[in-house]
Amino acid sequence: MRFGKDTNILAVVGHNSSNASLSAAPVYEKDGLVMISPTSYAQNLDSVGNYIFRTAPSVKSIADSVSNYAIKIAGKTNFLICVDYQGIDNQSFNDEFVKAIKAAGGQINSTECDISARGFNPSVVISQAVRSGANALVLGLYIDNIKQGLVVAESNQGQLTVFGSPTLFTNETLKEGRGINGLIISAPWYPAAFPNNIFPQKAQKLWGATVNWRTATAYDATLAIIAGLQRTNRRDELQNVLHSPGFSVDGATGKIQFLPSGDRINNSIVLVKVQQIPGTDKYEFVPIQP
């Protein structure tokens, strides 16, 4: 509320989790303060109002990309979906994946897998799913519970091919070791997917380290606000500029333009796989060639 009342603040880049974004968005909307979320992909964020935008991809685009790859290229047919329902966006994650998998010709395994359920036993759930025909596992995790959720991947022990949301694109995931080897993750950005973009080099120079997709989409949210403020320095006009059909700016994840809903017009999705670095006990993300 303090941001909304401070007229010197013209826009906000945030927030990290969908829980925070969905809680803050109605406040910003009421106060007429533009918010661009770089990391929230909750499906219902786009219904809050005209002042709410995001540079993160929608759940639908994530689900469509992963499902098409898993079914049409990797040859998977029966999917166990494991979701941590403590994350608000994970209900829409589940719903969109169910639709996308069915649309691509796959089946949803009937085994229930709620990671946040009391007494949840991943080994029992995976064994049940395998017995009922599952050959793939889709993980939807809450950002604050990544470690607990990765226990599912470790318990899998290679029985099912594991696919995950962009939430899993973290160093914390890589530290889990052998249990996550082969994990396939969707992300809106990876350096190799944008070979002519100078953002990775600029980020490396600034931070002294490589960055992940969250930095790229936050950078793009900031670029969009700067481009909008070059046309107007008024709050009420800024959202009109960002919504205008002629608005666009080239960012780390490609061209940034917004739909009337505030979502990105272009939702770039990159698929990466976790694999062991040869000769070491460490792991890395590598892009999957289409």
Side-chain angles (χ1 to χ4, degrees):
M1 293 182 67
R2 187 176 301 173
F3 289 172
K5 302 304 179 187
D6 187 343
T7 57
N8 291 312
I9 298 175
L10 300 180
V12 173
V13 176
H15 295 260
N16 184 32
S17 73
S18 288
N19 293 35
S21 293
L22 287 168
S23 295
V27 179
Y28 295 141
E29 180 69 22
K30 180 181 177 182
D31 291 331
L33 179 61
V34 163
M35 178 188 94
I36 303 184
S37 174
T39 55
S40 171
Y41 45 84
Q43 197 73 346
N44 51 343
L45 186 64
D46 61 8
S47 63
V48 174
N50 294 329
Y51 286 82
I52 310 304
F53 301 80
R54 61 174 150 200
T55 49
S58 67
V59 177
K60 183 181 185 306
S61 62
I62 294 170
D64 288 346
S65 297
V66 172
S67 299
N68 284 327
Y69 173 83
I71 294 169
K72 298 177 181 178
I73 298 178
K76 302 305 170 183
T77 56
N78 191 302
F79 294 77
L80 169 66
I81 301 180
C82 288
V83 173
D84 180 350
Y85 284 106
Q86 290 187 25
I88 292 175
D89 54 355
N90 284 334
Q91 179 61 61
S92 54
F93 178 92
N94 179 80
D95 295 344
E96 289 299 327
F97 261 92
V98 168
K99 288 189 288 187
I101 288 169
K102 289 181 177 179
Q107 300 177 14
I108 307 299
N109 193 273
S110 59
T111 306
E112 292 187 10
C113 189
D114 179 359
I115 296 170
S116 60
R118 181 177 298 180
F120 174 70
N121 188 322
S123 296
V124 171
V125 170
I126 289 171
S127 295
Q128 181 181 341
V130 171
R131 287 196 303 269
S132 57
N135 57 11
L137 165 63
V138 178
L139 278 177
L141 303 180
Y142 179 42
I143 186 66
D144 290 342
N145 292 332
I146 288 179
K147 192 172 184 65
Q148 296 92 314
L150 286 173
V151 173
V152 180
E154 294 168 13
S155 300
N156 177 54
Q157 297 183 339
Q159 297 176 84
L160 307 173
T161 302
V162 185
F163 300 89
S165 71
T167 302
L168 287 169
F169 200 115
T170 67
N171 287 330
E172 186 177 354
T173 297
L174 295 177
K175 291 177 182 178
E176 292 303 308
R178 187 176 300 175
I180 48 83
N181 194 34
L183 170 67
I184 296 171
I185 299 174
S186 57
W189 177 85
Y190 190 80
F194 299 88
N196 298 319
N197 196 299
I198 63 171
F199 171 75
Q201 292 76 26
K202 293 171 67 176
Q204 175 74 38
K205 183 177 179 180
L206 177 63
W207 299 106
T210 56
V211 298
N212 66 27
W213 69 267
R214 295 169 178 83
T215 306
T217 51
Y219 174 83
D220 283 359
T222 306
L223 275 186
I225 291 171
I226 292 171
L229 291 175
Q230 288 174 342
R231 300 189 190 183
T232 179
N233 61 359
R234 290 179 51 179
R235 276 188 183 183
D236 57 336
E237 293 178 352
L238 179 59
Q239 62 96 7
N240 286 326
V241 170
L242 296 177
H243 276 300
S244 64
F247 176 83
S248 71
V249 60
D250 292 325
T253 59
K255 182 172 290 187
I256 307 163
Q257 291 178 296
F258 298 104
L259 294 164
S261 63
D263 282 339
R264 287 278 294 268
I265 289 180
N266 300 310
N267 281 299
S268 298
I269 300 294
V270 181
L271 296 180
V272 298
K273 178 184 286 189
V274 176
Q275 72 176 29
Q276 190 169 7
I277 300 174
T280 75
D281 60 353
K282 297 182 179 180
Y283 294 80
E284 63 181 347
F285 296 112
V286 296
I288 296 175
Q289 299 299 324

